[in-house]
Amino acid sequence: REKFSMAEFAAIQKYLEEGGSVLLLLGEGGEVKFGTNINYLLEEFGINVNNDCVVRTVYYNNNYLHPKEVFVSNGIVNRAIAHVASGTKSVDEQKKKKGGKSEQKGAYSNDHVGLNFVYPYGSTVTVQKPAVPILSSGYIAYPLNRPVG
């Protein structure tokens, strides 16, 4: 394995500037374990992959036996993602449709939609502006409620 060269970083940056998309996947241990320097590129976007790992703190489900196979039941940071994935409408969308009035009694009665996912052998990320986190490690994992995506 070799680290990215400055020419490779420049090519990726040019591709992104021209409207391209990149999906980066890195496992537990971050840059140190995988011998990469990808944080150099990610820092420009407000993201940094940490050199840690996410582990669950309690035995939660028979399907995921290893402590590093973390089942996250409430890890959606961006509620719009949860609404899209579940096919429900947020309170704001319902108000727009009904002319500013919601059918629900409480302002947040249906706005807490969950989405379950498994985060196996992964690390956390540090997210700063302009980036926005969308997933977290949840409340039954360590580190607690840290961004993972």
Side-chain angles (χ1 to χ4, degrees), residues 56-94:
R56 76 165 177 261
T57 57
V58 296
Y59 182 74
Y60 190 77
N61 189 321
N62 285 335
N63 296 328
Y64 312 107
L65 301 176
H66 197 281
K68 291 183 180 177
E69 294 174 338
V70 180
F71 177 79
V72 182
S73 60
N74 193 13
I76 303 296
V77 176
N78 187 330
R79 289 182 286 178
I81 300 293
H83 287 294
V84 169
S86 66
T88 62
K89 292 184 178 180
S90 68
V91 172
D92 291 337
E93 289 172 332
Q94 291 177 12

Side-chain angles (χ1 to χ4, degrees), residues 5-132:
S5 68
M6 294 308 287
E8 291 169 326
F9 279 131
I12 294 170
Q13 287 174 321
K14 181 180 178 194
Y15 177 73
L16 292 171
E17 289 170 1
E18 293 173 352
S21 300
V22 175
L23 174 65
L24 298 169
L25 302 173
L26 206 60
E28 64 176 313
E31 276 191 333
V32 172
K33 184 174 180 181
F34 290 92
T36 183
N37 57 346
I38 196 66
N39 280 339
Y40 179 80
L41 174 70
L42 296 177
E43 287 170 352
E44 292 185 34
F45 301 99
I47 302 169
N48 185 35
V49 179
N50 298 320
N51 298 324
D52 61 3
C53 68
V54 177
V55 294
R56 76 165 177 261
T57 57
V58 296
Y59 182 74
Y60 190 77
N61 189 321
N62 285 335
N63 296 328
Y64 312 107
L65 301 176
H66 197 281
K68 291 183 180 177
E69 294 174 338
V70 180
F71 177 79
V72 182
S73 60
N74 193 13
I76 303 296
V77 176
N78 187 330
R79 289 182 286 178
I81 300 293
H83 287 294
V84 169
S86 66
T88 62
K89 292 184 178 180
S90 68
V91 172
D92 291 337
E93 289 172 332
Q94 291 177 12
K95 284 181 182 178
K96 287 178 186 175
K97 188 174 181 180
K98 298 288 181 185
K101 296 180 182 180
S102 175
E103 295 177 351
Q104 301 165 3
K105 296 186 183 208
Y108 299 101
S109 59
N110 192 28
D111 215 26
H112 295 288
V113 177
L115 181 67
N116 301 334
F117 65 94
V118 177
Y119 191 65
Y121 304 92
S123 64
T124 62
V125 294
T126 301
V127 179
Q128 302 172 13
K129 289 184 179 179
V132 178

